[in-house]
Amino acid sequence: MLIDFCKYQGAGNDFVMLDNMSGAYDSLSTNDIALLCDRRFGIGADGLLLLSRDENHPFRMVYYNQDGSRASFCGNGARCICSFAVRHGVVKPDTTFSFIADDGPHSAIAYPDKNWVDLLMSPVKTVQRVGESAFLLNTGVPHYVEFVDNLDAIDIMAKAPEIRFSQRFAPDGVNVNFVNIISNSHVAIRTYERGVEAETLACGTGITAAAIATAVSTNTSGPFNVSARGGELQVRFNANPDSSFSDIHLCGPALLTFAGRTDSLA
């Protein structure tokens, strides 16, 4: 099967993008997607996204992890697919448009001249404290956020899987983030993503979770600059009296790295 694709990245979080408005790629299997994301035998990516048709929105975002499993959302992937949708003429640049993902409706503005996307995330209803310095919240997918003094000292491939696969978060597991507070408006983060089962250079939903957890932990309101291994993103939101969070925006770069055609599934 010949597949035309684009490769995008947002702060080093990279994705394969497929135009599926015709339904041409509905038949891709879990193994097919994992192969396309494989960095040695396929294109290579942290995940794969389908730009698909929807009756009530300009498009539907369908997201798959690197291992081929489907996930309800991906923040950086969503920002990248918005840029991809502009490139393919599905939505217009520099103006607000809507789309739907498995976690619900979203809206965004894509600025292609600046390679920048401002994405409206889903509301966060609760933030649960799960330890002296750790929190659990869902920003489209579940995230564990633990505050640490030294990010570089963390052996993430040793510590994160213990949390990700722990009985407490079974059966689906959780994404794991370690966060260092630099100032009232600036934090740094390292993220281990389930479905990739490794540290990624950035994670949009993790960055959003880190900003909200910081606001709860420090009683500050942001906005926040969040420094990941692959770059910096910005998060702003409204903190509500009932301890929920709304009007959550994840903002940052979304860049086309290359486009091509593969027959790796042949």
Side-chain angles (χ1 to χ4, degrees):
M1 173 190 261
L2 286 174
I3 294 177
D4 292 307
F5 69 90
C6 286
K7 180 76 178 289
Y8 274 77
Q9 64 90 5
N13 206 186
D14 61 339
F15 308 97
V16 173
M17 299 282 173
L18 303 183
D19 180 356
N20 192 46
M21 296 297 281
S22 68
Y25 302 121
D26 284 344
S27 62
L28 288 177
S29 68
T30 299
N31 289 338
D32 291 337
I33 293 164
L35 178 58
L36 291 170
C37 291
D38 191 287
R39 298 192 183 277
R40 292 177 177 83
F41 299 102
I43 301 164
D46 290 330
L48 180 145
L49 292 100
L50 298 179
L51 179 73
S52 298
R53 190 173 300 279
D54 186 82
E55 292 183 358
N56 301 311
H57 297 83
F59 67 90
R60 172 175 286 274
M61 164 187 158
V62 180
Y63 178 69
Y64 294 93
N65 292 312
Q66 187 184 75
D67 64 2
S69 61
R70 185 158 170 169
S72 56
F73 195 63
C74 172
N76 280 332
R79 292 190 310 97
C80 287
I81 204 170
C82 288
S83 182
F84 182 66
V86 168
R87 175 183 172 87
H88 282 263
V90 176
V91 293
K92 294 181 180 180
D94 306 319
T95 187
T96 302
F97 56 83
S98 66
F99 68 97
I100 189 81
D102 285 1
D103 75 326
H106 295 267
S107 63
I109 304 177
Y111 303 98
D113 290 344
K114 301 177 181 178
N115 293 317
W116 189 267
V117 175
D118 182 325
L119 170 70
L120 180 65
M121 304 283 281
S122 295
V124 172
K125 296 180 180 179
T126 59
V127 180
Q128 179 185 358
R129 187 181 288 271
V130 293
E132 184 177 342
S133 58
F135 296 84
L136 182 68
L137 61 160
N138 192 311
T139 52
V141 289
H143 280 273
Y144 170 95
V145 177
E146 181 176 331
F147 291 97
V148 298
D149 293 328
N150 187 345
L151 280 180
D152 292 332
I154 296 291
D155 186 346
I156 196 166
M157 291 306 295
K159 186 172 182 180
E162 293 179 357
I163 300 167
R164 183 262 190 263
F165 291 105
S166 68
Q167 188 60 37
R168 179 170 195 171
F169 303 117
D172 296 327
V174 69
N175 297 282
V176 180
N177 308 271
F178 299 102
V179 176
N180 174 246
I181 298 174
I182 299 171
S183 72
N184 285 343
S185 61
H186 187 195
V187 300
I189 187 172
R190 295 179 67 184
T191 300
Y192 176 101
E193 288 196 59
R194 65 177 187 177
V196 178
E197 307 310 338
E199 181 177 11
T200 54
L201 292 179
C203 172
T205 52
I207 283 169
T208 305
I212 292 173
T214 301
V216 172
S217 179
T218 62
N219 195 29
T220 53
S221 58
F224 292 95
N225 291 327
V226 184
S227 298
R229 287 299 200 242
E232 189 167 290
L233 283 84
Q234 299 171 2
V235 182
R236 68 182 188 273
F237 46 75
N238 290 333
N240 302 315
D242 64 356
S243 298
S244 67
F245 292 83
S246 59
D247 198 29
I248 304 167
H249 289 258
L250 175 67
C251 309
L255 294 94
L256 173 69
T257 54
F258 62 91
R261 173 176 290 178
T262 179
D263 60 354
S264 60
L265 302 183

